[in-house]
Amino acid sequence: MSDAEIEALRAKLEERGVKYCMGAYVDIHGVPKGKVVPLPHLAHMAHGSERYTGYALDGLGQAPNDDELTSVPDLDRWIQLPWEPKVAWFPSDNEFRGAPYALNTRVALKTQLAEAAKMGFGFNLGVECEIFLLRKTEDGRLETPTADDVLTKPCYDLRSFMDNFRWLDRMAETIDALGWDLYSFDHEDANGQFEFDFRFADALETCDRVTFFRMMAKRYAADEGLIATMMPKPFADRTGNGAHFNMSLSDLQTGANLFACDPADDPRGLGLTETGYHFIGGILKHGRALCAAFAPTVNSYKRLVRQGGMATFSWAPVFNSYGSNNRTNSVRVPAGGGRCESRNADGAVNPYLAAALALAAGLDGIRNRIDPGAPNEDNLYTMSEAERAARGIDFLPQTLQEAVAAFAADPLVEEVLGRELRDEFIRYKSEEWQEYHLTVSAWEIERYSHLF
């Protein structure tokens, strides 16, 4: 923006009652960080006045002796905080000495979107936000806030939905007021779990919205004396929080969906163009490496199981495969086609990082015309190992350690993120695995202390 346009924005915000501007970028985990400036200093912030010691933050690749980073707000994408109208939130990027900082994951996504644009593509993304609304007990346990949310199969349960209506209504009203076009929300498959689905947008916009959604959900839950969490697997005996990525490419000139066709014109019958299938081919080629970004925590891999400690199947993907409206695949083509859904992504995902890598993988599939093969329509959870092997269906990583190894081994990751950001992710996630592995749990003490 020009100085005149920034001044016009400042005047607009002042008229709306804004007193402070919050410039929020994310660390490598997708957690927002930033500073707040009084509204009269908006122009200063827009020109990079806010400086940060990168060594104090996770994944920004700095040592104590390095020059500071700056944060530059995206002035076209601000949101006035619905719960505190005195504050305007701006998604932001890091810069270093006046240039975009490559270790910022939002910058990485913008770089990959520019690569797609060179091919004439826009990248549309919709993320399904699953979230638990819970109460923390005095001894630190998590429990559902309503005593009657106890069904073995609580999915779509209207009684428990209405028991939590005040929080749900506030969330829904705000999402619509923000212009995100909420089209569905419900009680999900686990006790205390809900899902919000709002319309897809360009990938950068959607990632900004998911980041803001998390902050908003936690704020509104705190107002109810509760906590909201997108942690992938808070309970061993309940399904976990997904954040399914629904993806398609558009023609930059016309806006047309380049994945959509009449199912009758698709030999595989799913309603996808060859471009769409090639995109899926790229996702599957790099599927094991992508898993580290889609499911980036130790806890993530307690969600990615067929059943585990639950009474029913988990719905979570464990195979690097695709099919139609079959939720035992990691990539699903929903009824009607026109998009593909990666079901690996969970609530801990850094959406910018995962979107950058997913787009790059899909573009690799298109450039190299990678055929994903025939869609899998069977229940893969119950298929024999021999039959899966005959079809060439591989398992996704089953631990964070395995996922990080696949991430490190795939050359595409370094091509997309650069060596420094790639190595930062590997270092932090390897340390997370090591710390977890060296922790002695209550389960181990209970199981082994009396045996040996």
Side-chain angles (χ1 to χ4, degrees):
M1 279 188 179
S2 68
D3 288 344
E5 289 172 321
I6 294 171
E7 174 56 26
L9 174 59
R10 186 206 62 75
K12 180 178 180 179
L13 293 173
E14 183 176 36
E15 186 177 319
R16 295 183 58 154
V18 171
K19 294 178 63 179
Y20 308 102
C21 298
M22 175 186 291
Y25 58 93
V26 300
D27 66 11
I28 203 167
H29 311 297
V31 176
K33 307 290 182 178
K35 292 183 179 180
V36 178
V37 304
L39 181 60
H41 289 271
L42 173 61
H44 300 149
M45 184 170 73
H47 292 299
S49 66
E50 301 316 298
R51 302 177 67 83
Y52 298 84
T53 304
Y55 183 64
L57 298 156
D58 279 354
L60 291 179
Q62 286 205 312
N65 59 306
D66 285 328
D67 198 1
E68 295 166 310
L69 301 170
T70 59
S71 171
V72 178
D74 192 331
L75 298 177
D76 293 321
R77 298 176 185 264
W78 58 273
I79 296 175
Q80 188 172 9
L81 295 190
W83 61 92
E84 183 43 83
K86 292 180 181 179
V87 179
W89 176 88
F90 290 84
S92 302
D93 299 328
N94 292 123
E95 290 189 353
F96 184 67
R97 295 175 178 168
Y101 189 55
L103 274 75
N104 176 281
T105 53
R106 192 173 188 269
V107 169
L109 173 57
K110 291 168 77 172
T111 300
Q112 202 53 224
L113 289 171
E115 289 298 311
K118 291 177 185 176
M119 300 171 68
F121 300 145
F123 182 37
N124 289 323
L125 175 65
V127 176
E128 302 169 33
C129 293
E130 295 180 348
I131 189 164
F132 278 92
L133 181 67
L134 302 170
R135 174 186 293 114
K136 182 170 281 190
T137 64
E138 289 185 3
D139 61 358
R141 291 181 300 106
L142 297 176
E143 64 180 16
T144 51
T146 51
D148 58 353
D149 191 353
V150 294
L151 296 177
T152 302
K153 289 190 173 184
C155 200
Y156 314 127
D157 182 43
L158 293 178
R159 180 181 62 181
S160 297
F161 180 94
M162 292 306 299
D163 285 346
N164 295 280
F165 183 74
R166 187 164 60 181
W167 178 77
L168 290 162
D169 178 50
R170 194 177 180 197
M171 289 287 293
E173 282 189 342
T174 304
I175 290 170
D176 261 349
L178 292 171
W180 298 0
D181 189 13
L182 179 73
Y183 61 85
S184 179
F185 60 122
D186 60 63
H187 192 298
E188 256 301 311
D189 195 56
N191 310 106
Q193 186 186 40
F194 301 90
E195 180 177 320
F196 295 86
D197 297 318
F198 39 87
R199 182 173 170 78
F200 69 87
D202 74 88
L204 189 65
E205 181 74 31
T206 293
C207 292
D208 290 342
R209 289 175 177 179
V210 171
T211 302
F212 189 85
F213 172 91
R214 289 170 171 164
M215 182 170 69
M216 178 175 69
K218 288 178 178 295
R219 174 68 265 160
Y220 288 175
D223 290 345
E224 301 290 326
L226 303 172
I227 67 168
T229 180
M230 293 179 75
M231 176 183 176
K233 189 76 168 177
F235 303 100
D237 60 349
R238 306 182 198 178
T239 51
N241 280 324
H244 302 153
F245 272 40
N246 291 270
M247 300 175 285
S248 66
L249 296 180
S250 62
D251 185 303
L252 273 182
Q253 291 190 334
T254 68
N257 183 345
L258 297 176
F259 284 12
C261 73
D262 189 323
D265 297 329
D266 173 8
R268 293 178 244 208
L270 303 187
L272 274 188
T273 62
E274 282 302 296
T275 298
Y277 284 113
H278 293 151
F279 188 94
I280 290 174
I283 294 290
L284 296 181
K285 175 185 174 182
H286 302 284
R288 286 177 55 80
L290 290 176
C291 203
F294 278 136
T297 71
V298 164
N299 182 253
S300 297
Y301 296 86
K302 299 182 179 183
R303 168 182 169 263
L304 296 182
V305 296
R306 279 174 276 194
Q307 186 165 354
M310 293 167 290
T312 59
F313 286 128
S314 69
W315 303 104
V318 295
F319 306 107
N320 190 35
S321 60
Y322 94 103
S324 62
N325 215 18
N326 174 1
R327 289 167 171 81
T328 65
N329 292 289
S330 60
V331 179
R332 180 176 77 105
V333 180
R339 59 188 165 101
C340 65
E341 174 194 73
S342 178
R343 299 174 54 76
N344 297 13
D346 67 31
V349 68
N350 176 339
Y352 304 103
L353 178 69
L357 288 166
L359 174 58
L363 294 180
D364 182 48
I366 292 169
R367 290 188 186 102
N368 293 291
R369 301 185 63 80
I370 299 173
D371 189 335
N376 297 285
E377 308 300 347
D378 309 278
N379 182 348
L380 300 185
Y381 292 155
T382 59
M383 186 180 291
S384 71
E385 301 301 322
E387 188 172 356
R388 273 196 294 276
R391 290 199 195 181
I393 299 173
D394 292 330
F395 278 93
L396 291 168
Q398 297 179 55
T399 66
L400 179 62
Q401 182 186 45
E402 188 181 345
V404 171
F407 182 93
D410 193 325
L412 180 74
V413 173
E414 185 175 338
E415 291 174 22
V416 175
L417 303 182
R419 178 175 292 274
E420 288 183 295
L421 179 53
R422 166 193 176 272
D423 289 352
E424 281 289 282
F425 184 87
I426 292 169
R427 181 167 71 86
Y428 273 90
K429 292 303 169 180
S430 297
E431 288 175 357
E432 180 179 336
W433 169 261
Q434 185 76 350
E435 183 178 344
Y436 166 75
H437 184 63
L438 295 176
T439 300
V440 177
S441 67
W443 181 90
E444 292 170 278
I445 292 170
E446 182 179 346
R447 185 176 184 91
Y448 301 129
S449 61
H450 299 296
L451 277 178
F452 306 109

